Amino acid sequence: MSKHYRRFSSIAAVRDVAATVSPVDIPKIFGENTLTLETLKARLPKAVWKELKKTITDHEPLNEDVADVVAVVMKDWALEKGASHYTHWFQPLTGQTAEKHDSFITPNQGGGVIAEFSGKELIQGEPDASSFPNGGLRATFEARGYTAWDPTSPAFIIENPNGSTLCIPTAYASWKGEALDGKTPILRSGDALNRVAGRALGLLGDSGYGRVYATVGCEQEYFLIDQEFYYARPDLIQTNRTLFGAKPPKGQELEDHYFGSIPQRVLSFMMEAERELYRLGVPVKTRHNEVAPGQYEIAPIFESANVAADHQQLTMTVLKNTARKYGLVCLLHEKPFAGVNGSGKHTNWSMSTTSGLNLLEPGEDPHSNLRFLFFATAVIKAVHDHQDLLRVCIASAANDHRLGANEAPPAIISVFTGEQLADVFEQLINGSAKSSKRGGFLGLGSPVLPNLPKHAGDRNRTSPFAFTGNKFEFRAVGSSQSVSFPITVLNTIVADAISSMSDALEAERDKGVDLETAVGTVVGRVLKSTYHIVFNGDGYSQSWQTEAAKRGLLNKKSTMEALPLFATTKNFELFERFKVLSHAEVESRAEILVEQYFKTINIEGETTENMARTMIVPGVVRYLNELVAVVERTKALGLDSSGALATLTAVNDGLNDLTKALAELGKQNAELGGDDIHSKAGHVYRNVIPAMGKVRAAADQLEKLVADDYWPLPTYRDMLFVR
Ligand code: ADP
Ligand code: MG
């Protein structure tokens, strides 16, 4: 075995990992590391609790005296949990979370310290904003940003063997108050949704429902590979995906992995990750193998959108940290392995009232059916009117490998309704909602829906946006991305649709028309003009591409095609009207998305070049050297050297192809592509990506020719199948 070769030692190390499983009593540990409402209620003076509760449930502004009292309770609770420090935990526009820890200590008169934490420290922090993406919002002379406590998402404790930290969920803004994070627009769009849905409920004759809020449950897909392989792959370390790697002889063809029995070490990992999440109050529920070898999924029970988004970030963090304890690495990238199924984060979304009503739940009685039809139609209209934003909010260099590539869902945004709902909608469009395939409509224009299957096989996995019983599932969201932008977009566009449908409903009612007829008219009219967004067929098929074009639906296959759809007059106006994002905030976010795209591809391009030059070419050359020696010696001995010569020629040709492709990539990497971020991004999109593709193709070809013990990288076969 050649000395430079690490693969076999990696595999040997994998064999030695022992897994431990410790049983958990879920109800006992659930939420023990979160400051739950119950704990707060039990510890706060009654009057203070009442004030705080108003802020939490009714989103009323928080009074400073209340904050002082809450801060003390929070600090005492955290100290009991062994915390020495606190941090404002926030979500800058990197898609990750950020934290800056401060200890609770304050000097006392006697030269010692005491633990202190004030309402002011709880409510507001001042991290330096200069190192976070701001898309031009922050003038360089004003580097400060601030974080503001979000009392609607519970504080929690993050443990480390050397101590614990109290984490306080916060929003993050520039000094002028412009949002620089994921949380602020979720909160603002949630308020907008509550306002318009409340009005709609009033028009529909519903009262006493409380607040309306979005509910979200995200199914997180991920890969696990052994960390020995990970450390031997600079591409995974630098870019979170493999930039090289030939397709293994066995992939997912046998379909033996999906829902298969979970390997023991993996199951141990899952159990521990779940236990940590339970302790943090994250209600995880489902675990299973996914389609690709080495791919898995974890899903929680849905929560209010804001809390679900925080918990989603925590889930990603806990998955990554826990995997390490089992000698595994958790890969959250959308496409860590080419030619193998990628990972998504199906984002299930609905609207609920604080009184417990799901607005997308088809009801049992005629009235709740009217309500359901109204709100479900609003979602269809929202998707129709704002395909552009839905496409933008999932656009990234990583997700480009899924959307619009050979894998689903397609880049075309459409809605799957299922056959039965389609039947109902089509009758409403034709103005004769009187009968249905199953059950039928009772009474004149008063629809009773057939029982819509909640978990039936009536599932279309090829649709990016599907109605699944009592919620919509946005499937195009990428596995590594923050869900804050998709949630913000969903809340805002549905608020927009509800708002205009409410205007129409009000106008109908003003004519003195009864409620059922009015809803029927409005819903029928809206569906008629938006129904071409509904598609219940196979989203992967070529015929859908043609059909979608005929219907005039957007089909932006890449991030660089999609991003220009963001900062447009329509969208500035939309986000401003609902007070979700200002003109400047939209502009800054659009800028950041382009910047991130450029940086990602730029790093991938450099890493590809570097690995090819310093790892792959040298490995191939060593093998060539050996082949040349064999050919020469066999010739000298007068033996037939045709076999060695044929191998030598193939490898040598492959090396020539690789170095030629590398020269081109080197040239494109060195080229800056202009001064501004848009032209740089355009350059990497047009020139670096194809050049990387050629280097990879040549290298992957060589992987199939070069002696196994000369190949410097763990292969797909190793990484996906050695568990
Ligand atoms: P799938 O069949 O798509 O894999 P799962 O049952 O695994 O479905 O996941 C469905 C997700 O949808 C879960 O996270 C669940 O909590 C969430 N969900 C269910 N109802 C709602 C709702 N009303 N609003 C938001 N999310 C919901
Ligand atoms: Mg799903």
Side-chain angles (χ1 to χ4, degrees):
M1 185 170 83
S2 58
K3 265 192 292 181
H4 69 282
Y5 182 63
R6 280 135 84 184
R7 228 181 88 214
F8 293 152
S9 49
S10 299
I11 293 175
V14 172
R15 275 201 306 264
D16 296 336
V17 177
T20 53
V21 196
S22 42
V24 289
D25 179 352
I26 299 172
K28 197 160 152 240
I29 62 166
F30 191 85
E32 70 180 15
N33 274 351
T34 37
L35 186 51
T36 58
L37 292 185
E38 277 129 72
T39 314
L40 277 173
K41 187 180 173 187
R43 293 185 177 210
L44 285 171
K46 236 192 193 122
V48 176
W49 163 248
K50 256 185 157 168
E51 287 291 314
L52 181 65
K53 184 123 192 300
K54 265 193 239 156
T55 302
I56 294 173
T57 52
D58 306 330
H59 292 208
E60 289 196 4
L62 190 81
N63 159 339
E64 275 217 26
D65 301 338
V66 171
D68 273 330
V69 184
V70 177
V72 172
V73 166
M74 227 184 222
K75 177 205 69 188
D76 289 346
W77 174 80
L79 292 178
E80 284 165 29
K81 293 276 165 198
S84 56
H85 288 63
Y86 71 92
T87 178
H88 279 198
W89 183 79
F90 59 103
Q91 295 165 31
L93 295 168
T94 53
Q96 325 259 309
T97 58
E99 45 200 78
K100 174 188 158 230
H101 299 195
D102 280 300
S103 84
F104 286 120
I105 59 166
T106 309
N108 67 7
Q109 304 255 315
V113 291
I114 50 164
E116 254 185 11
F117 187 47
S118 68
K120 200 169 152 277
E121 286 167 312
L122 163 64
I123 293 183
Q124 189 167 315
E126 281 183 37
D128 184 345
S130 56
S131 310
F132 295 111
N134 60 77
L137 269 186
R138 181 192 54 81
T140 31
F141 58 82
E142 183 52 278
R144 283 180 307 166
Y146 72 92
T147 49
W149 179 36
D150 167 19
T152 63
S153 183
F156 54 93
I157 300 276
I158 287 290
E159 290 172 334
N160 176 285
N162 292 344
S164 297
T165 307
L166 168 68
C167 297
I168 302 162
T170 52
Y172 171 54
S174 78
W175 202 246
K176 285 191 233 147
E178 291 140 331
L180 291 172
D181 69 341
K183 181 186 276 291
T184 308
I186 291 191
L187 292 171
R188 292 179 186 161
S189 62
D191 285 340
L193 189 65
N194 171 49
R195 272 196 310 274
V196 300
R199 176 181 167 220
L201 282 171
L203 289 168
L204 289 164
D206 287 304
S207 59
Y209 49 80
R211 263 181 71 85
V212 176
Y213 62 99
T215 51
V216 168
C218 300
E219 303 160 56
Q220 174 75 53
E221 293 180 331
Y222 59 93
F223 280 84
L224 288 175
I225 63 164
D226 193 274
Q227 68 178 7
E228 296 291 331
F229 299 138
Y230 176 82
Y231 290 129
R233 299 267 336 197
D235 46 3
L236 282 177
I237 295 174
Q238 296 279 306
T239 72
N240 303 311
R241 76 179 182 101
T242 55
L243 300 170
F244 300 97
K247 212 170 164 301
K250 174 183 166 178
Q252 59 202 53
E253 295 83 357
L254 294 180
E255 297 180 332
D256 52 356
H257 186 70
Y258 190 57
F259 282 20
S261 78
I262 301 171
Q264 151 121 42
R265 175 160 60 134
V266 171
L267 185 56
S268 303
F269 148 78
M270 287 177 171
M271 287 171 167
E272 179 160 347
E274 286 164 10
R275 187 178 62 200
E276 283 317 300
L277 288 165
Y278 290 140
R279 299 179 70 217
L280 288 164
V282 182
V284 285
K285 170 116 175 127
T286 310
R287 59 166 97 111
H288 60 78
N289 285 1
E290 259 304 325
V291 174
Q295 192 186 27
Y296 308 92
E297 179 181 302
I298 183 170
I301 296 169
F302 67 93
E303 300 178 275
S304 80
N306 175 37
V307 175
D310 283 355
H311 282 173
Q312 219 298 304
Q313 289 285 357
L314 272 179
T315 302
M316 292 197 283
T317 307
V318 167
L319 288 176
K320 279 193 279 192
N321 291 345
T322 311
R324 294 303 179 106
K325 293 194 192 169
Y326 290 85
L328 296 163
V329 172
C330 173
L331 304 175
L332 295 170
H333 193 277
E334 281 73 2
K335 196 78 171 176
F337 304 100
V340 174
N341 208 52
S343 299
K345 180 146 51 201
H346 294 181
T347 301
N348 295 268
W349 182 95
S350 186
M351 292 165 278
S352 190
T353 65
T354 40
S355 66
L357 197 66
N358 178 353
L359 300 183
L360 293 174
E361 178 83 54
E364 310 259 300
D365 57 284
H367 181 79
S368 44
N369 280 326
L370 277 185
R371 188 174 55 220
F372 164 73
L373 286 175
F374 182 87
F375 287 108
T377 301
V379 178
I380 289 177
K381 176 173 166 57
V383 178
H384 171 272
D385 294 354
H386 303 290
Q387 295 157 56
D388 54 345
L389 281 175
L390 287 169
R391 180 63 188 88
V392 167
C393 75
I394 49 167
S396 70
N399 219 9
D400 277 359
H401 298 286
R402 296 172 69 225
L403 311 175
N406 347 344
E407 187 195 325
I412 308 160
I413 301 290
S414 66
V415 182
F416 171 83
T417 60
E419 197 194 315
Q420 284 157 304
L421 196 53
D423 181 38
V424 174
F425 281 153
E426 278 154 30
Q427 293 190 50
L428 280 162
I429 292 173
N430 300 326
S432 63
K434 289 190 185 83
S435 68
S436 125
K437 280 193 177 152
R438 275 153 259 227
F441 289 81
L442 298 179
L444 274 179
S446 167
V448 170
L449 292 174
N451 277 331
L452 296 166
K454 294 220 171 75
H455 292 285
D458 192 27
R459 285 265 170 127
N460 184 323
R461 300 216 154 256
T462 66
S463 174
F465 202 91
F467 178 71
T468 44
N470 57 4
K471 62 186 159 61
F472 281 89
E473 182 171 340
F474 189 13
R475 301 217 183 96
V477 179
S479 51
S480 71
Q481 79 173 99
S482 153
V483 288
S484 62
F485 191 19
I487 292 174
T488 298
V489 166
L490 278 169
N491 290 353
T492 310
I493 65 177
V494 175
D496 183 37
I498 293 175
S499 171
S500 73
M501 282 174 63
S502 299
D503 291 345
L505 187 59
E506 202 166 51
E508 286 299 312
R509 295 306 301 276
D510 286 349
K511 292 184 198 159
V513 177
D514 69 276
L515 182 65
E516 280 163 24
T517 315
V519 171
T521 307
V522 171
V523 164
R525 202 190 300 147
V526 168
L527 286 172
K528 206 171 277 179
S529 61
T530 59
Y531 202 66
H532 52 280
I533 196 75
V534 172
F535 176 65
N536 287 319
D538 177 4
Y540 299 177
S541 65
Q542 190 48 47
S543 60
W544 172 228
Q545 301 279 327
T546 322
E547 166 70 18
K550 236 189 266 161
R551 294 190 190 184
L553 300 182
L554 282 178
N555 186 1
K556 300 293 181 188
K557 289 186 190 284
S558 69
T559 297
M560 285 305 283
E561 285 173 74
L563 290 185
L565 302 173
F566 186 15
T568 61
T569 313
K570 180 206 98 176
N571 293 334
F572 286 133
E573 193 276 329
L574 171 77
F575 285 116
E576 278 183 321
R577 185 151 42 90
F578 289 98
K579 299 194 170 52
V580 174
L581 291 171
S582 68
H583 194 284
E585 286 168 340
V586 170
E587 267 180 342
S588 83
R589 272 154 215 261
E591 191 81 359
I592 290 169
L593 288 172
V594 177
E595 197 175 278
Q596 279 168 340
Y597 179 85
F598 163 72
K599 285 181 182 162
T600 306
I601 306 293
N602 188 40
I603 293 169
E604 288 185 353
E606 301 277 353
T607 308
T608 302
E609 184 185 347
N610 178 277
M611 285 174 69
R613 282 198 206 286
T614 65
M615 297 177 85
I616 297 174
V617 168
V620 178
V621 167
R622 287 186 183 109
Y623 183 45
L624 264 184
N625 192 37
E626 207 165 276
L627 288 169
V628 169
V630 172
V631 171
E632 276 174 5
R633 285 184 219 145
T634 40
K635 246 193 211 147
L637 291 168
L639 296 169
D640 174 10
S641 61
S642 57
L645 192 60
T647 312
L648 169 61
T649 311
V651 175
N652 192 49
D653 288 351
L655 181 62
N656 289 338
D657 290 345
L658 177 59
T659 45
K660 217 180 288 154
L662 255 176
E664 172 64 15
L665 178 60
K667 198 179 110 204
Q668 297 302 346
N669 279 340
E671 168 72 49
L672 291 178
D675 292 330
D676 76 298
I677 196 68
H678 294 269
S679 61
K680 282 181 179 175
H683 165 66
V684 296
Y685 172 56
R686 282 188 312 275
N687 304 317
V688 173
I689 290 180
M692 268 166 61
K694 289 195 182 121
V695 170
R696 178 178 187 146
D700 289 358
Q701 195 51 37
L702 280 164
E703 187 190 314
K704 296 180 198 158
L705 295 172
V706 170
D708 196 34
D709 62 339
Y710 276 112
W711 195 252
L713 297 168
T715 63
Y716 276 26
R717 196 176 53 209
D718 305 330
M719 290 185 283
L720 293 170
F721 291 94
V722 178
R723 292 171 210 144

